[in-house]
């Protein structure tokens, strides 16, 4: 009996070591990829060898850690879905014994833990550490800046604690709920993270429908559009003449006094970019022009239609079945049954839709006016902006599994702290969320595909001068697009 207990303990020990090793290797890969992504956008002027360089380097490592956690949160649900299908297909395979329910539960718990750590500790520390200078009267240096940062973190924690306490008193004026706030680890942090998750889901509700409509424009700028009734040689000839004219002005030939050198250099840069894109369109093969672009657009339309259709079906399920609630359902467990009606094909479709919604939410986030100046630029993004972008991506990615389950994109149960959010059990919140997503996505798509027709009707009626349908984005319609032709009907 003792020998059996020792054997069981050894097996449990080796199992835990194997799981931690796998988690470490996966996170190391995500960390390396995140590091190269941030280095691509980080401003090179910030790299100097002094005290500020050390602070920037520490903030860079913390931002990289946060971005890696965000990537892990995005991959969490797809990895769990595909693992469930693999365990169903090969239940007795020796080569996938490392893939089990314990590993997946551990990944969910680690993702929740690191998300809390990055959101409430690491990112505030990185921001305050970057902006700190040390208290007056103390010797300047790293220690003084660390001291100021710690004091700011303590004050911030007290401020957030007071806000949550007042909010809890206003929402639930109960002695038990007030006393539970004293339990920092078991109640306060999960409750605060639940509030942040709700804010992240609301932000996704705003960004994703906008991103679904903007994806067509973004892909249209990346791909080569078909050349219908266009003479590319003539356009290249005209843009070449314009480039030569600007270069003559810069070299001093017939140089007008009223021209600014910086304006001319900017015009020359725009003209060169336009010429490069026109030449790329000319060199593109007929297959790339006439097949790839329509296929991608049709694929985006199908994915968007399937997403909205799944949300509509989920609304019906919510009205007739209580198990459709994100918090009320408890599935058979990992590796016991397929959670998709179509098996492996359905699981693959769910994974594609989850990634599509995440990309659309990021595109929609940077397309909003309020976050327009927040967009990172290659080799020209300050560390403060990088920290802000990492926090935004972390909030969006942490809310992605919750949104996917709430909208019915997948039936996979939320594990760990992700399934403990109180608002997931509120029928009216979940139903309203689904209704708002379906309505907003439909309206954004209708506006996207009818904008050109609407503007032509306004012009025909003589109402175009009233700017009824013009905004910051629509004003770009008269400008040359990324493919070198006018965006007109």
């Amino acid at each position: 009996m003792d020998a059996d207990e020792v054997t069981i303990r050894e097996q449990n020990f080796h199992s835990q070591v194997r799981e931690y090793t796998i988690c470490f290797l996966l996170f190391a890969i995500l960390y390396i990829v995140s590091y190269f992504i941030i280095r691509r956008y980080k401003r090179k002027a910030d790299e100097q060898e002094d005290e500020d360089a050390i602070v920037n380097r520490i903030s860079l490592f913390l931002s990289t850690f946060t971005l890696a956690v965000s990537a892990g949160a995005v991959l969490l649900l797809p990895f769990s879905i595909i693992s469930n299908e693999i365990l169903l297909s090969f239940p007795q395979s020796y080569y996938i014994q490392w893939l089990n329910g314990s590993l997946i539960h551990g990944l969910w718990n680690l993702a929740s833990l690191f998300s809390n750590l990055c959101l409430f500790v690491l990112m505030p520390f990185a921001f305050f550490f970057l902006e700190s200078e040390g208290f007056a009267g103390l010797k300047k240096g790293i220690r003084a800046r660390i001291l100021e940062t710690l004091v700011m973190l303590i004050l911030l924690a007290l401020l957030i604690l007071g806000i949550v306490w007042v909010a809890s008193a206003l929402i639930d004026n109960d002695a038990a709920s007030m006393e539970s706030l004293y339990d920092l680890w078991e109640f306060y942090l999960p409750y605060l993270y639940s509030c942040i998750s709700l804010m992240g889901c609301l932000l996704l509700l705003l960004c994703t429908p906008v991103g679904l409509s903007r994806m067509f424009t973004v892909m249209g700028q990346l791909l080569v559009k078909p050349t219908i009734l266009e003479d590319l040689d003539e356009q290249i000839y005209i843009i070449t003449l314009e480039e030569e004219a600007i270069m003559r002005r810069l070299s001093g030939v017939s140089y007008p006094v009223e021209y600014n050198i910086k304006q001319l250099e900017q015009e020359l840069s725009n003209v060169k970019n336009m010429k490069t894109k026109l030449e790329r369109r000319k060199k593109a093969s007929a297959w790339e022009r006439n097949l790839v672009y329509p296929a991608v657009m049709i694929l985006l339309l199908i994915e968007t239609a399937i997403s909205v259709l799944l949300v509509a079906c989920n609304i019906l399920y919510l009205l007739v079945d209580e198990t459709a609630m994100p918090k009320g359902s408890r599935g058979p467990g990992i590796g016991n049954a397929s959670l998709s009606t179509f098996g492996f094909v359905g699981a693959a479709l769910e994974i594609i839709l989850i990634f599509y919604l995440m990309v659309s939410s990021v595109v929609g986030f940077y397309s909003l006016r309020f976050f327009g100046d927040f967009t990172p630029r290659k080799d020209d993004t300050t560390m403060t902006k990088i920290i802000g972008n990492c926090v935004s991506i972390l909030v969006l990615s942490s809310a992605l599994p919750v949104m996917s389950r709430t909208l019915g994109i997948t039936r996979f149960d939320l594990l760990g702290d992700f399934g403990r959010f109180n608002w997931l059990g509120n029928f009216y919140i979940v139903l309203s969320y689904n209704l708002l997503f379906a309505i907003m996505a439909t309206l954004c798509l209708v506006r996207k595909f009818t904008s050109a027709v609407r503007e032509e009707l306004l012009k025909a009626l003589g109402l175009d001068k009233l700017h009824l349908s013009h905004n910051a984005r629509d004003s770009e319609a008269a400008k040359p697009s990324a493919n070198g032709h006018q965006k007109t009907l």
Side-chain angles (χ1 to χ4, degrees), residues 325-336:
M325 291 292 293
K327 196 174 183 179
S329 61
R330 286 296 177 266
I334 299 172
N336 295 327

Side-chain angles (χ1 to χ4, degrees), residues 83-377:
S83 299
N84 183 66
E85 298 299 326
I86 291 176
L87 290 174
L88 282 174
S89 302
F90 309 99
Q92 303 297 330
S93 177
Y94 173 78
Y95 298 101
I96 61 170
Q97 289 184 359
W98 57 273
L99 189 62
N100 50 39
S102 176
L103 173 64
I104 296 175
H105 279 82
L107 289 174
W108 281 77
N109 291 328
L110 288 176
S112 176
L113 174 63
F114 286 152
S115 297
N116 281 285
L117 181 65
C118 294
L119 195 59
F120 301 122
V121 179
L122 297 185
M123 285 293 93
F125 178 85
F127 176 76
F128 289 130
F129 191 45
L130 193 67
E131 299 295 329
S132 63
E133 296 180 356
F135 291 112
L138 295 179
K139 183 180 179 180
K140 301 297 182 180
I142 299 296
R143 292 184 179 180
R145 300 180 73 161
I146 292 177
L147 179 60
E148 181 183 352
T149 303
L150 294 177
V151 171
M152 293 298 297
L153 285 178
I154 293 174
L155 295 176
L156 179 64
L158 293 175
L159 176 62
I160 295 177
L161 177 62
I163 294 175
V164 173
W165 210 322
V166 172
S168 178
L170 294 175
I171 297 174
D172 189 8
N173 190 10
D174 187 8
S177 63
M178 298 291 291
E179 292 179 0
S180 61
L181 283 176
Y182 289 108
D183 195 348
L184 183 65
W185 186 260
E186 291 295 330
F187 181 83
Y188 176 70
L189 286 180
Y191 178 77
L192 187 59
Y193 188 60
S194 176
C195 297
I196 298 296
S197 175
L198 179 59
M199 293 175 58
C201 288
L202 294 177
L203 184 60
L204 283 175
L205 180 63
L206 179 63
C207 297
T208 307
V210 177
L212 291 176
S213 61
R214 285 285 299 169
M215 282 293 291
F216 295 91
T217 304
V218 173
M219 295 305 297
Q221 293 174 352
L222 296 177
L223 299 175
V224 177
K225 292 185 179 180
T227 54
I228 301 176
L229 301 178
E230 287 187 274
D231 190 352
L232 293 179
D233 294 329
E234 181 180 357
Q235 293 185 25
I236 293 175
Y237 176 73
I238 293 174
I239 210 76
T240 302
L241 292 178
E242 186 175 353
E243 179 184 4
E244 293 176 354
I246 296 176
M247 292 180 65
R248 283 196 299 269
R249 291 171 183 171
L250 284 174
S251 61
V253 178
S254 66
Y255 183 80
V257 180
E258 64 269 13
Y259 270 93
N260 192 355
I261 297 179
K262 292 184 178 180
Q263 292 180 352
L264 288 174
E265 290 178 350
Q266 183 65 32
E267 291 180 8
L268 181 61
S269 177
N270 295 335
V271 168
K272 287 183 177 180
N273 291 334
M274 191 70 62
K275 183 178 179 181
T276 302
K277 292 169 183 176
L278 286 172
E279 291 176 348
R280 177 176 176 268
R281 291 186 64 198
K282 183 179 179 181
K283 294 178 181 178
S285 62
W287 288 96
E288 184 180 357
R289 289 196 305 267
N290 302 323
L291 182 62
V292 175
Y293 179 82
V296 171
M297 292 297 140
I298 292 174
L299 183 62
L300 291 178
L301 185 61
I302 292 174
E303 290 179 347
T304 306
I306 292 176
S307 301
V308 177
L309 182 61
L310 288 176
V311 175
C313 294
N314 189 56
I315 293 174
L316 297 178
Y317 288 149
L318 288 172
L319 295 175
V320 299
D321 191 0
E322 294 181 356
T323 60
M325 291 292 293
K327 196 174 183 179
S329 61
R330 286 296 177 266
I334 299 172
N336 295 327
S338 179
L339 300 175
S340 176
T341 307
F342 301 101
F344 193 85
V345 177
L349 179 60
E350 290 178 359
I351 293 173
I352 293 174
L353 291 178
I354 290 171
F355 282 121
Y356 178 60
L357 290 178
M358 183 61 197
V359 174
S360 300
S361 65
V362 174
V363 172
F365 176 79
Y366 289 114
S367 299
L368 297 176
R369 289 185 180 182
F370 185 75
F371 302 105
D373 296 333
F374 219 51
T375 306
R377 302 181 184 277

